[in-house]
Amino acid sequence: MTPARTLWLDERSRVLTLDQTRLPFEQVTIELDSLASCRYAISAMQVRGAPLIGAVGAYGLAFGLRHDASDEALQHDFEDLLASRPTAVNLRWALQRVADRVRPLPSTARAAAAWHEAGAICEEDVACNRAIGSHLATLLRAQAQRRDGARTGALDVLTHCNAGRLATIAYGTALAPFYLLDEIGFPVHVWVDETRPRNQGASLTAWELGQAGVAHTVIADNAGGLLMMQGRVDAVIVGCDRVAANGDVANKVGTYLKALAARAHGIPFYVACPSSTIDRSSADAAAIEIEARDARELSHVRGRLADGSSAEVQVIPDGSAAFNPAFDLTPAALVTALVTEHGPIPATSAAIAALFAEH
Ligand code: MRU
């Protein structure tokens, strides 16, 4: 099945998306109608996931140019939107792409060109994700053949955070193979890490897999090691927010520990990686800024009460300090392959350089 789009235009060309802070219990559609609303949606995580914040940033720049299309305003709006979240490089990539497209144009033509470019970024995202999903599906089917005889039944794949359709325009990256395998009736079951502190796994990945009818089970973040030790994980697939020129990967905090456990147990660890997420200006992991988010995300948890209303409760004692880095860094050596829209490549400087030389 083709998952529904996460960002779409209605018949009046309004830009609509789901407010992801309200999922999984409420499906609330919000309109993005200005640069300020795009910037707010990104920073408040109404939209999140590297490709989706890139697309929303692109529309934000287009809205800004409708208001003022001068060079100065373009630069100001670019920096304003870029500051909304620092780690995922797709935001900078998309803003740069729109800015490069409109800068040579007269100011009267800039807003329309930016709007068109934002639309193109969205369309390309769907095709890119479908290609990544198809490459990952091929890898998973090969994995299933290798284990047949040793163990039968659905292939068990563990994922962390949400790199699904909610993190992109459609399909997602790490979750794309599950939708494609589902289309052909290939049995797969997904272990979904809850992904504290914001629970993107428990609330978003579980929701979208459930909507699509893909078999899945939510597990506590720390259960993955045991399941790998027990032979109950055939592969790990995660997304990424930025991949450095040497193949080091920044992704949701907790990814690194899964990569270590996967390596210890000889389990393939795949990173679903649109080429737009590769940042060749970051030489290695040390160059990647890790977003530190509000400690309240850690000290408090939001959920649904028995009467159906939602509430936030405190889970750490008054007075305890809390530190909340939103991402972590996985060394390239722990990555089995970066699975790009052009196919899987080793997580090495040479393979990344070759990818950009070819495409
Ligand atoms: O903080 P988030 O929810 O934006 O983090 C999302 C992730 O870490 C995803 O794995 C990543 O952006 C890849 S999305 C295809």
Side-chain angles (χ1 to χ4, degrees):
M1 57 150 315
T2 305
R5 292 204 172 194
T6 303
L7 185 86
W8 67 98
L9 302 188
D10 71 2
E11 62 293 343
R12 288 160 50 201
S13 288
R14 295 185 307 171
V15 182
L16 302 175
T17 189
L18 289 176
D19 179 351
Q20 298 191 30
T21 63
R22 309 287 285 274
L23 288 170
F25 303 118
E26 292 171 283
Q27 286 180 55
V28 177
T29 298
I30 52 171
E31 181 184 353
L32 304 173
D33 59 1
S34 62
L35 181 146
S37 65
C38 291
R39 184 187 52 218
Y40 175 78
I42 296 170
S43 58
M45 293 182 66
Q46 291 176 314
V47 294
R48 28 68 50 205
L52 184 61
I53 65 176
V56 171
Y59 275 112
L61 209 47
F63 284 125
L65 288 164
R66 282 183 186 174
H67 182 66
D68 182 345
S70 65
D71 284 349
E72 297 71 29
L74 176 62
Q75 192 56 33
H76 171 273
D77 292 352
F78 182 104
E79 283 162 20
D80 189 25
L81 286 158
L82 187 60
S84 55
R85 286 197 80 190
T87 302
V89 78
N90 301 61
L91 179 58
R92 190 182 75 202
W93 172 86
L95 293 172
Q96 195 66 57
R97 182 167 150 171
V98 175
D100 289 348
R101 171 80 184 85
V102 305
R103 209 172 269 117
L105 302 176
S107 58
T108 48
R110 286 179 169 179
W115 184 264
H116 184 268
E117 200 64 19
I121 285 170
C122 292
E123 292 311 314
E124 287 169 30
D125 179 69
V126 179
C128 169
N129 299 339
R130 210 183 143 91
I132 288 172
S134 164
H135 296 304
L136 278 164
T138 301
L139 291 166
L140 291 181
R141 294 179 74 176
Q143 183 73 11
Q145 275 181 348
R146 276 196 290 278
R147 74 161 199 175
D148 273 348
R151 205 157 67 85
T152 53
L155 199 73
D156 289 300
V157 184
L158 184 144
T159 192
H160 191 70
C161 194
N162 174 266
R165 71 111 158 159
L166 289 169
T168 65
I169 303 302
Y171 286 105
T173 58
L175 301 192
F178 309 135
Y179 299 124
L180 299 181
L181 289 171
D182 198 53
E183 278 175 10
I184 59 166
F186 182 92
V188 64
H189 164 261
V190 188
W191 295 114
V192 178
D193 283 350
E194 61 175 344
T195 318
R196 279 283 285 149
R198 287 186 69 99
N199 290 319
Q200 288 96 328
S203 60
L204 303 179
T205 298
W207 180 79
E208 70 164 90
L209 291 177
Q211 294 268 312
V214 176
H216 64 280
T217 306
V218 178
I219 53 173
D221 281 329
N222 297 323
L226 174 72
L227 295 176
M228 291 187 209
M229 179 185 281
Q230 293 176 331
R232 299 170 72 187
V233 178
D234 295 298
V236 179
I237 307 178
V238 298
C240 50
D241 289 87
R242 189 184 301 215
V243 172
N246 72 339
D248 289 345
V249 172
N251 191 48
K252 182 53 55 190
V253 68
T255 301
Y256 174 41
L257 287 175
K258 295 303 167 324
L260 284 169
R263 174 55 56 92
H265 294 286
I267 295 165
F269 183 89
Y270 296 119
V271 176
C273 175
S275 56
S276 55
T277 312
I278 300 175
D279 175 21
R280 286 182 299 158
S281 69
S282 293
D284 56 26
I288 299 177
E289 182 184 353
I290 299 295
E291 176 182 14
R293 290 191 62 86
D294 194 337
R296 192 177 173 87
E297 292 182 348
L298 202 54
S299 60
H300 290 68
V301 175
R302 192 164 188 79
R304 183 166 66 176
L305 300 177
D307 68 2
S309 63
S310 64
E312 192 179 71
V313 294
Q314 184 176 335
V315 291
I316 73 171
D318 289 336
S320 288
F323 173 51
N324 182 20
F327 300 96
D328 67 18
L329 301 162
T330 299
L334 295 177
V335 175
T336 306
L338 300 170
V339 183
T340 76
E341 66 273 31
H342 306 295
I345 59 167
T348 62
S349 309
I352 288 172
L355 179 81
F356 282 92
E358 279 167 36
H359 298 284

